Amino acid sequence: MSLGTDSAGGFGVPFELDPTIIWTADVAINPLRQLARVERITGKTIQLTLGNQVTVTRDTPFPGEAVPVTDGSPTLSRSEFRPGRVSAFLPRSIEIEASFSSLDPQLTRALMEAKDTEEAEIFVNGTGDGMTGVEGLNQLGTLLPSAVTAGALTWENVFSLDNDLPNRYRPNAKWVANNTTYNGVRLIDENVGGDLWTGRTGANPSRINDHDAYELSTLINPDAAEDTPYLIYGDFKNYLIVDRIGMVMKRVDVVTVTGSGAGVVNRPNGQEALVAYWWNGGGYIVPNAFRALAPVGS
């Protein structure tokens, strides 16, 4: 008899089963909730009030004694954003529910990964205006064409983003790109790169030209044939993510048959389900708080 042949003895030896699911689906690297302005609301929309600069005047004739003052009041405007619904439906048979005791928490973990991956996609590629849908980061060139430059990945172009960003937004500015872009930055020039980029082991996160650099995997590569940014630099507190209520998870104790068959529709089909709902949206508050590079020839 032997262990390696089932009929010769192997059937008599039990196997070890680890019921923990090892999730293998690709996920996104998404720092946006860490960087952006995140607001949670209970109403249907959020309205933000924007104001331009207060004007001060050095009164003349100098030294300005006993002369009328000049009105320096700012001009105000309003920006509005609406969250939209996202959902997930996870049905399973009554039998596996009764037999797989750790299934619910493992599905919940996978759901959180899927939520983060969906947000990494929509908050980059969304085509709404904040009210009709998510206004993705890729719309920067449409909102403010001067903020996006078609340029190769060179130190000169990296410096140009830093130079062009208005002073108000520079102190809190961050770099965002995918890993391929960052590896390209490292290959520009070994000597200059060593001075301008703190190594991966030297800081968490890494820093380019003394500003933190974060990986956002859903941005395109520098050689992509697209006209959207591959490197974005700016104060991400001027990009809004708005959540309404939070996540709602429901258990459906009995899933019924759908369709149109007489005498069959609405009968139990032998399944339970988890249903999850959440609401979010967002977009640019101040597009001028950002500068970006897009591929050459895009």
Side-chain angles (χ1 to χ4, degrees):
M1 300 182 70
S2 65
L3 177 65
T5 303
D6 288 341
S7 61
F11 283 129
V13 181
F15 61 87
E16 295 288 335
L17 173 65
D18 181 355
T20 303
I21 300 173
I22 301 173
W23 301 105
T24 60
D26 196 14
V27 297
I29 298 176
N30 179 14
L32 290 178
R33 285 189 172 272
Q34 177 182 352
L35 301 179
R37 175 176 175 176
V38 180
E39 298 288 349
R40 184 175 181 180
I41 64 174
T42 57
K44 62 182 181 180
T45 66
I46 182 172
Q47 295 183 348
L48 305 177
T49 302
L50 287 68
N52 66 0
Q53 186 73 34
V54 168
T55 302
V56 298
T57 303
R58 185 173 294 275
D59 295 323
T60 55
F62 190 82
E65 183 177 1
V67 295
V69 297
T70 303
D71 186 350
S73 301
T75 300
L76 303 183
S77 61
R78 176 165 289 171
S79 186
E80 187 172 14
F81 300 88
R82 180 196 306 271
R85 195 183 82 178
V86 192
S87 60
F89 178 59
L90 306 174
R92 66 280 186 96
S93 69
I94 300 294
E95 289 76 11
I96 196 169
E97 165 66 18
S99 305
F100 198 158
S101 60
S102 64
L103 184 58
D104 272 9
Q106 296 191 72
L107 287 177
T108 301
R109 174 191 167 191
L111 178 61
M112 293 298 99
E113 287 186 350
K115 177 179 182 292
D116 194 49
T117 297
E118 190 275 340
E119 289 183 355
E121 175 67 26
I122 196 66
F123 286 115
V124 169
N125 297 310
T127 58
D129 62 2
M131 289 293 289
T132 60
V134 174
E135 185 177 75
L137 291 171
N138 280 347
Q139 292 198 55
L140 181 60
T142 300
L143 298 170
L144 186 65
S146 61
V148 180
T149 302
L153 190 57
T154 65
W155 280 121
E156 181 179 3
N157 285 332
V158 170
F159 291 150
S160 292
L161 297 190
D162 200 356
N163 291 337
D164 291 345
L165 193 68
N167 293 335
R168 172 182 289 274
Y169 310 111
R170 190 172 294 119
N172 194 46
K174 306 289 190 297
W175 303 93
V176 167
N178 71 24
N179 192 57
T180 300
T181 299
Y182 287 140
N183 285 335
V185 172
R186 289 182 174 277
L187 293 172
I188 294 173
D189 183 287
E190 183 177 353
N191 295 323
V192 177
D195 293 334
L196 296 176
W197 186 322
T198 302
R200 292 183 186 275
T201 58
N204 185 19
S206 300
R207 295 170 69 84
I208 299 176
N209 209 19
D210 205 31
H211 289 272
D212 292 344
Y214 291 84
E215 181 182 357
L216 176 56
S217 60
T218 48
L219 287 177
I220 63 172
N221 296 329
D223 57 354
E226 301 179 39
D227 59 358
T228 56
Y230 65 82
L231 178 63
I232 302 177
Y233 177 65
D235 182 351
F236 281 81
K237 294 304 180 184
N238 289 280
Y239 185 86
L240 176 70
I241 295 175
V242 54
D243 296 312
R244 183 165 68 87
I245 299 174
M247 177 177 284
V248 176
M249 295 191 68
K250 300 285 188 180
R251 176 188 291 272
V252 179
D253 292 326
V254 178
V255 177
T256 57
V257 177
T258 60
S260 57
V264 176
V265 177
N266 294 329
R267 289 186 180 180
N269 70 356
Q271 290 183 318
E272 296 179 344
L274 286 179
V275 185
Y277 301 97
W278 61 96
W279 295 259
N280 62 38
Y284 284 99
I285 303 171
V286 183
N288 196 37
F290 299 88
R291 294 295 183 269
L293 286 176
V296 177
S298 59

